[in-house]
């Protein structure tokens, strides 16, 4: 008896997905809860498990097909996977046919049978197609003189005049030049649509500042072993920036708000979306209640999301909501960028690489580990003064982490 496999519930407001890859084919054995395919939605890629053990029967959708929640995409038959029948015979038949085709001899050209060695040499020397020349020899055969005459007539034929406006010919490309067309994944299509929508629907502007990372680096160096021993997690930079962002969002509420129609929605909590690189594109899981969490829990949440993104196990709930985003391009070596907001949010903080640069401190030039930070914001809601103020609060908190402890 066949068991149907349906598209599972994909999350709130998500009604369909796209078949990304079939992990099992008809005739393959499958165990209970073993994934049979990957399904791409607007936000995540999930694996669809088999509810029973058996053998894959029929696949009712192809890679790239859009399927709705509840739709039947495959069937599973009870029993073991059938042994492959006739494979050897099939391969043998294919080999016999291939050998037969290779053994066929191409028919010899009539022209090559009637050309004398001297005529063949003349044809090659002058680049003449013998089939285009009328022979004057016995039985209409070509002679050497026929080939020479044809070559002379060819040389005497004037080349067609080139129009004055025609461009000079360019050299033809050499070597292999291949192209490949790959359909965009559903996730990549959604990313493209949302980012383009952010540019079209928001009045985007970016303000910059630079941060002296000396204090944070010293704190990490001093406490990293004790922190890891007590909390079983490394002390990273993201915890510092998340807490610094909390201070900024509390001081400048509009940066933590969003526009909904003709209303502004303010949030009395801080849920920070953290941009994470996944195999299929950029995803933004949400660290919730940053305003209530300590460094250790924030670092654990971020680490868990990073692993889930790499493993492809992020859920829709992991990425739902979010009032503000932090994107760290510095891990890839970025010096400076203008990040794009994550709608319907109104602002995003961009972090970049840390590098030693000369700066002036107390009238003296010193070398300090510096980082450029950027705040992109929707100017419809956030004024320039507010954006600059929020970024300055983040800068001050990073350069003097004590501010985060005493809520200053």
């Amino acid at each position: 008896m066949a068991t149907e496999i349906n598209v599972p519930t994909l999350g709130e407001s998500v009604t369909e997905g796209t078949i990304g890859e079939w992990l099992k084919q008809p005739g393959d054995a499958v165990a209970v809860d073993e994934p049979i395919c990957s399904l791409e939605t607007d936000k995540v890629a999930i694996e669809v498990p088999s509810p029973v053990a058996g053998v894959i029967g029929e696949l009712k959708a192809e890679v790239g097909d859009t399927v709705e929640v509840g739709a039947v995409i495959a069937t599973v038959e009870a029993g073991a996977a059938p042994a492959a029948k006739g494979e050897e015979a099939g391969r043998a038949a294919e080999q016999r046919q291939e050998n037969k085709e290779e053994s066929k001899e191409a028919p010899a050209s009539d022209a090559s049978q009637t050309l004398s060695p001297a005529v063949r040499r003349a044809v090659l020397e002058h680049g003449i197609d013998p089939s285009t020349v009328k022979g004057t020899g016995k039985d209409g055969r070509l002679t050497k003189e026929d080939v020479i005459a044809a070559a002379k007539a060819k040389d005497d034929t004037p080349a067609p005049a080139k129009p004055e406006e025609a461009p000079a010919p360019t050299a033809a490309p050499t070597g292999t030049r291949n192209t490949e067309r790959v359909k965009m994944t559903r996730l990549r299509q959604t990313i493209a649509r949302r980012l383009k929508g952010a540019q079209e629907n928001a009045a985007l502007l970016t303000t910059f500042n630079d941060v002296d990372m000396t204090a944070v680096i010293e704190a990490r160096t001093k406490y990293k072993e004790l922190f890891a021993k007590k909390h079983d997690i490394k002390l990273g930079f993201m915890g510092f920036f998340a807490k610094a962002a909390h201070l900024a969002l509390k001081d400048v509420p509009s940066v933590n708000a969003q526009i909904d129609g003709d209303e502004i929605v303010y949030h009395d909590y801080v849920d920070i979306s953290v941009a994470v690189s996944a195999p299929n594109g950029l995803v933004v899981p949400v660290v919730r209640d940053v305003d209530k969490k300590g460094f250790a829990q924030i670092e654990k949440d971020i680490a868990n999301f990073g692993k889930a993104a790499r493993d492809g196990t992020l859920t829709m709930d992991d990425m739902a909501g979010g009032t503000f985003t932090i994107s760290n391009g510095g891990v890839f070596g970025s010096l400076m960028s203008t990040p794009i907001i994550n709608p319907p949010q109104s602002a995003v903080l961009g972090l970049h690489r840390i590098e030693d640069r000369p700066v002036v401190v107390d009238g003296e030039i010193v070398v300090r580990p510096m980082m450029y930070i950027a705040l992109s914001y929707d100017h419809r809601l956030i004024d320039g003064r507010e954006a600059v103020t929020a970024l300055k609060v983040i800068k001050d908190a990073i350069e003097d982490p004590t501010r985060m402890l005493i809520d200053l």
Side-chain angles (χ1 to χ4, degrees), residues 196-217:
K196 186 59 179 176
Q199 289 181 319
E200 293 175 346
N201 299 323
L204 292 180
L205 194 63
T206 304
T207 184
F208 298 92
N209 215 318
D210 59 357
V211 177
D212 185 344
M213 297 293 292
T214 300
V216 169
I217 291 175

Side-chain angles (χ1 to χ4, degrees), residues 163-245:
E164 292 182 1
E165 66 276 10
T170 58
T174 59
T176 303
R177 293 162 58 85
N178 299 323
T179 60
E180 180 182 9
R181 289 181 180 268
V182 179
K183 186 176 180 179
M184 293 174 69
T185 64
R186 190 180 186 89
L187 177 60
R188 176 53 61 183
Q189 292 178 46
T190 301
I191 292 173
R193 184 173 62 252
R194 286 173 60 83
L195 293 181
K196 186 59 179 176
Q199 289 181 319
E200 293 175 346
N201 299 323
L204 292 180
L205 194 63
T206 304
T207 184
F208 298 92
N209 215 318
D210 59 357
V211 177
D212 185 344
M213 297 293 292
T214 300
V216 169
I217 291 175
E218 289 178 349
R220 290 183 68 222
T221 302
K222 183 176 181 179
Y223 296 111
K224 64 180 180 181
E225 293 183 2
L226 290 174
F227 188 89
K229 184 177 181 180
K230 180 176 180 179
H231 301 291
D232 194 28
I233 189 70
K234 292 182 179 179
L235 179 59
F237 290 118
M238 287 298 290
F240 287 94
F241 278 101
K243 295 302 290 184

Side-chain angles (χ1 to χ4, degrees), residues 236-243 274-275 298-299 302 326-328 351:
F237 290 118
M238 287 298 290
F240 287 94
F241 278 101
K243 295 302 290 184
V274 180
I298 292 173
E299 292 290 356
I302 294 173
I326 298 178
S327 178
N328 186 7
L351 309 182

Side-chain angles (χ1 to χ4, degrees), residues 2-5 36 55-60 72-77:
T3 300
E4 294 180 340
I5 300 180
I36 67 163
V55 177
I56 297 296
E58 180 184 1
L59 304 183
K60 296 183 177 294
V72 179
I73 56 175
T75 60
V76 177
E77 305 283 348

Side-chain angles (χ1 to χ4, degrees), residues 22-44:
W22 282 107
L23 306 176
K24 295 288 186 178
Q25 295 296 323
D28 289 349
V30 62
V32 177
D33 292 332
E34 184 178 4
I36 67 163
C37 76
S38 65
L39 192 64
E40 297 175 354
T41 70
D42 289 348
K43 295 184 177 180
V44 294

